[in-house]
Amino acid sequence: MAHVHTLSRRDARRVAIRAQLLQRERPTDLLSMVRHLTLLQLDPISAVAPSADLVAWSRLGSSYSPSDLRAALDDRRLFELRAMVRPAEDIALYRADMAAWPGTGELKDWQEFRRDWVLANDRCRRQILDRLRDAGPLPSRELPDTCEKPWGSTGWTNNKNVTQLLDLMVQRGEVAVAGRKRRDRLWDLAERVYPDGPVLPVEEAEQERDRRRLRALGIARVRGPEFPVEPADVGEAGEPAVVAVEGVRGEWRLEPALLDEPFHGRTALLSPFDRLVHDRARAQDLFEFEYQLEMYKPAAKRRWGYFALPLLHGDQLVGKLDATADRKAGALLVNAIHQDVPFTKAMAAAVDREIADLARWLQLDVRRISCV
């Protein structure tokens, strides 16, 4: 029977921070950082900066330039898969799932629905493939919408059929994002985008993804909340662990190599989509950190701000920064600094330094509106 590790909350926090490369010693380059973290999440919201760039800046510091990410995507060292940037070699971990789409074994209702919807629109699917074969890469607006069965959705847009079909064709391994022109994704045949190489069988690939995810998270549940695209749990990867804190339940798995390493913390501003905080239940259990992304709330009902950045100090999440990049005014507007714990002078100074560094990286001046 495997040894079960018993961790204090502080031990668990430090494992998670080490795994996410948020200690004082920073990673040295973008590619090795993404390989370790396994992904950067793309998101169109850029109230401060795009999330993928914020995650990279939080690790690499102001030596990082968004042009580095664009270059790595352009030359295919990194690739985009379902709004996640991943190392090019990792496509081998997804190809077997693509070939088995919509899944193996007994299908769930939603899997059957998507399979049937694609079948009902097979003529459109084949026309998109033909168009890309002849003229790709192309933006979605230049692809034909001849779907016979519309995609039912609230918030309907004229191009919803095509974008939904493209997403499912990505999952089938037929098309891929070949690049971007401004904010538009450019689509092409997957065979012209993805690198050649051996494909891992479905079960072996899933186990390897679990291992890599645990290495990036440090500590995670065997089974956790469901997230689209990227799970938060890690199956049987690593070794079993218990977080010995009243109220923290569930089966945990640990990357044991991270447990006994020395810890050298620092202060960091994080994206709301940062993997340290992305699983809100885990952040609550390990860091006692309450957070909710509030951009979809009416302004009067927001507690922390439209795109509040979690504040990491040492081995604790200590607050949120409500800030906005006003590029026309040339200013990083600091609307509020919300303190979850009372800041010492040293903590306040460290947070101020990070805000100043963020502003320099954005090539903006800091302008304080108010502080809470």
Side-chain angles (χ1 to χ4, degrees):
M1 186 174 178
H3 171 67
V4 178
H5 299 268
T6 301
L7 281 69
S8 67
R9 181 174 267 146
R10 187 183 74 167
D11 290 338
R13 290 198 305 258
R14 291 184 170 190
V15 165
I17 292 166
R18 289 188 193 103
Q20 278 290 297
L21 305 178
L22 285 164
Q23 288 200 98
R24 190 183 308 156
E25 185 176 350
R26 295 177 182 267
T28 56
D29 68 276
L30 176 67
L31 191 57
S32 63
M33 183 203 76
V34 177
R35 282 174 172 154
H36 179 90
L37 298 180
T38 75
L39 62 86
L40 293 176
Q41 182 173 341
L42 297 172
D43 189 89
I45 304 299
S46 56
V48 175
S51 181
D53 291 324
L54 272 177
V55 171
W57 170 78
S58 293
R59 274 75 179 172
L60 298 169
S62 293
S63 63
Y64 166 72
S65 170
S67 62
D68 299 339
L69 179 56
R70 292 194 295 270
L73 288 166
D74 287 345
D75 63 21
R76 306 280 169 82
R77 288 172 293 161
L78 300 174
F79 73 96
E80 181 180 336
L81 178 62
R82 302 190 66 196
M84 302 287 181
V85 172
R86 299 184 186 274
E89 60 270 20
D90 281 11
I91 189 60
L93 303 177
Y94 297 91
R95 295 305 293 267
D97 279 341
M98 293 173 179
W101 187 91
T104 57
E106 185 175 354
L107 298 181
K108 298 178 181 178
D109 290 346
W110 63 268
Q111 291 174 307
E112 291 184 348
F113 172 82
R114 293 182 179 190
R115 177 201 61 195
D116 294 344
W117 188 79
V118 172
L119 284 173
N121 293 304
D122 189 62
R123 183 169 68 95
C124 183
R125 182 186 69 85
R126 288 185 282 107
Q127 288 175 340
I128 287 173
L129 291 173
D130 289 343
R131 175 85 171 118
L132 291 176
R133 189 174 290 109
D134 293 341
L138 294 171
S140 61
R141 63 177 175 273
E142 294 185 26
L143 298 173
D145 181 358
T146 58
C147 286
E148 297 178 17
K149 182 178 181 180
W151 181 265
S153 173
T154 57
W156 180 264
T157 64
N158 291 334
N159 207 27
K160 189 68 173 181
N161 290 336
V162 170
T163 54
Q164 186 62 42
L165 188 52
L166 285 168
D167 183 62
L168 295 174
M169 291 170 73
V170 167
Q171 296 176 45
R172 290 164 58 95
E174 295 177 312
V175 301
V177 177
R180 285 182 178 252
K181 188 173 183 179
R182 299 181 182 89
R183 290 195 173 190
D184 286 341
R185 291 176 292 181
L186 300 177
W187 299 92
D188 205 348
L189 301 179
E191 63 198 48
R192 298 203 292 230
V193 177
Y194 295 151
D196 293 329
V199 175
L200 272 68
V202 169
E203 185 175 349
E204 185 179 345
E206 183 178 6
Q207 292 172 352
E208 180 62 19
R209 293 197 302 266
D210 285 345
R211 284 193 289 269
R212 295 192 189 193
R213 191 177 308 115
L214 180 59
R215 184 187 66 173
L217 294 173
I219 182 170
R221 285 190 171 86
V222 175
R223 291 286 173 260
E226 290 191 13
F227 291 97
V229 183
E230 180 71 9
D233 49 41
V234 295
E236 298 301 315
E239 296 179 1
V242 171
V243 181
V245 178
E246 185 178 354
V248 178
R249 299 181 177 86
E251 297 179 74
W252 296 81
R253 303 296 289 190
L254 171 73
E255 179 60 57
L258 295 169
L259 188 57
D260 296 321
E261 291 184 3
F263 181 81
H264 303 290
R266 63 180 175 89
T267 303
L269 304 176
L270 307 179
S271 162
F273 300 104
D274 197 289
R275 253 38 199 182
L276 192 70
V277 298
H278 185 265
D279 181 345
R280 311 302 190 207
R282 175 177 176 266
Q284 181 69 59
D285 283 342
L286 302 187
F287 292 89
E288 300 177 278
F289 184 69
E290 182 185 0
Y291 185 85
Q292 186 178 33
L293 195 57
E294 297 182 307
M295 64 177 69
Y296 301 114
K297 284 186 175 183
K301 293 186 177 181
R302 293 174 190 151
R303 297 171 61 188
W304 304 304
Y306 179 83
F307 195 74
L309 307 185
L311 298 172
L312 175 69
H313 179 75
D315 61 11
Q316 293 181 290
L317 290 164
V318 298
K320 296 97 175 168
L321 170 67
D322 178 10
T324 307
D326 186 340
R327 291 170 177 83
K328 288 185 178 179
L332 177 65
L333 306 179
V334 177
N335 303 307
I337 300 173
H338 301 278
Q339 300 182 16
D340 289 6
V341 298
F343 284 12
T344 64
K345 288 184 178 180
M347 289 168 63
V351 169
D352 285 346
R353 284 194 296 271
E354 286 301 301
I355 294 171
D357 193 54
L358 175 62
R360 280 193 298 272
W361 177 65
L362 295 170
Q363 298 182 315
L364 302 173
D365 296 323
V366 176
R367 184 179 303 169
R368 295 179 182 272
I369 307 302
S370 65
C371 286
V372 177

